[in-house]
């Protein structure tokens, strides 16, 4: 049961859920997901995302998935975030066959580079590569440090959110 972020294409949800391609309308996304309502606790619901004409949210084991419209009112980005309140094992979030969430960042970066991807070093808990953006939750501190003390070494952390956007043309319009 893996969620695959597909660069330039969209997202493949765990079977039997469908693949959702960038460029679909809201009605098309809803129609593709409608037959699978029993697999989606809470169903597919509207959510607010600043700057998007429409956005939909659905829950899968351990994660929430947000589907967002672009400026043409078509599916233009997918955001997957860990849900720490869900006790079920989280669905892996794959990108080029690598699970993006739940692994220490240095291991993740090494694995992406081993696949030949020119991934930069993370900056301030965030990593951007092409149309992929990974980041940790704001204020996500995993281990407390004694008051007034700075940790000797940066603590290893994992990313909490992965987002993938549709490619854009030079004019800025989503393809």
């Amino acid at each position: 049961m893996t969620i695959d972020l597909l660069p330039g294409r969209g997202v493949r949800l765990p079977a039997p859920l469908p693949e959702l391609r960038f460029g679909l309308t809201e009605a098309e996304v809803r129609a593709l997901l409608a037959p699978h309502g029993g697999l989606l606790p809470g169903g597919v619901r509207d959510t607010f995302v600043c700057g998007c004409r429409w956005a939909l949210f659905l829950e899968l084991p351990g994660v929430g998935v947000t589907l967002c419209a672009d400026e043409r009112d078509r599916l233009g980005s997918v955001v997957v975030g860990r849900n720490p309140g869900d006790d079920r094992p989280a669905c892996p979030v794959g990108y080029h066959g690598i699970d993006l969430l739940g692994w220490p960042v240095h291991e993740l970066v090494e694995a992406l580079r081993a696949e030949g991807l020119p991934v930069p070093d993370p900056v301030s808990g965030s990593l951007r590569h092409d149309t992929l953006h990974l980041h940790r939750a704001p204020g996500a501190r995993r281990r407390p440090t004694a008051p007034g003390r700075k940790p000797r070494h940066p603590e290893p952390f994992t990313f909490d959110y992965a987002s993938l956007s549709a490619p854009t043309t030079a004019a800025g319009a989503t393809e």
Side-chain angles (χ1 to χ4, degrees):
M1 180 178 250
T2 300
I3 299 167
D4 290 307
L5 299 178
L6 307 170
R9 284 184 30 209
V11 61
R12 184 181 311 116
L13 298 171
L17 297 171
E19 180 175 314
L20 301 173
R21 292 183 154 292
F22 291 131
L24 293 172
T25 65
E26 177 183 6
E28 290 169 330
V29 170
R30 286 183 183 276
L32 286 168
L33 293 172
H36 308 286
L39 299 174
L40 303 171
V44 177
R45 40 192 198 271
D46 294 325
T47 191
F48 174 77
V49 175
C50 188
C52 295
R53 293 185 47 151
W54 59 264
L56 303 173
F57 179 80
L58 56 104
E59 292 178 69
L60 293 170
V63 296
V65 179
T66 305
L67 308 166
C68 303
D70 61 15
E71 65 279 349
R72 295 180 315 133
D73 216 17
R74 305 286 182 151
L75 179 60
S77 64
V78 177
V79 180
V80 183
R82 292 281 185 222
N83 180 357
D86 190 337
D87 293 334
R88 299 174 293 175
C91 287
V93 180
Y95 181 80
H96 290 278
I98 298 166
D99 185 6
L100 298 174
L101 306 180
W103 293 98
V105 168
H106 68 279
E107 290 180 31
L108 174 62
V109 169
E110 286 176 20
L112 291 169
R113 287 177 179 162
E115 288 295 313
L117 300 173
V119 178
D121 289 330
V123 177
S124 300
S126 182
L127 184 147
R128 288 186 182 273
H129 167 69
D130 196 24
T131 59
L132 176 71
H133 180 210
L134 305 171
H135 66 278
R136 70 193 287 194
R141 200 134 209 268
R142 306 301 192 233
R143 281 183 275 170
T145 310
R149 297 192 83 186
K150 217 174 158 183
R152 288 184 189 195
H153 305 284
E155 63 180 88
F157 68 90
T158 60
F159 290 118
D160 301 303
Y161 295 93
S163 66
L164 184 69
S165 300
T168 56
T169 62
T174 304
E175 293 179 338

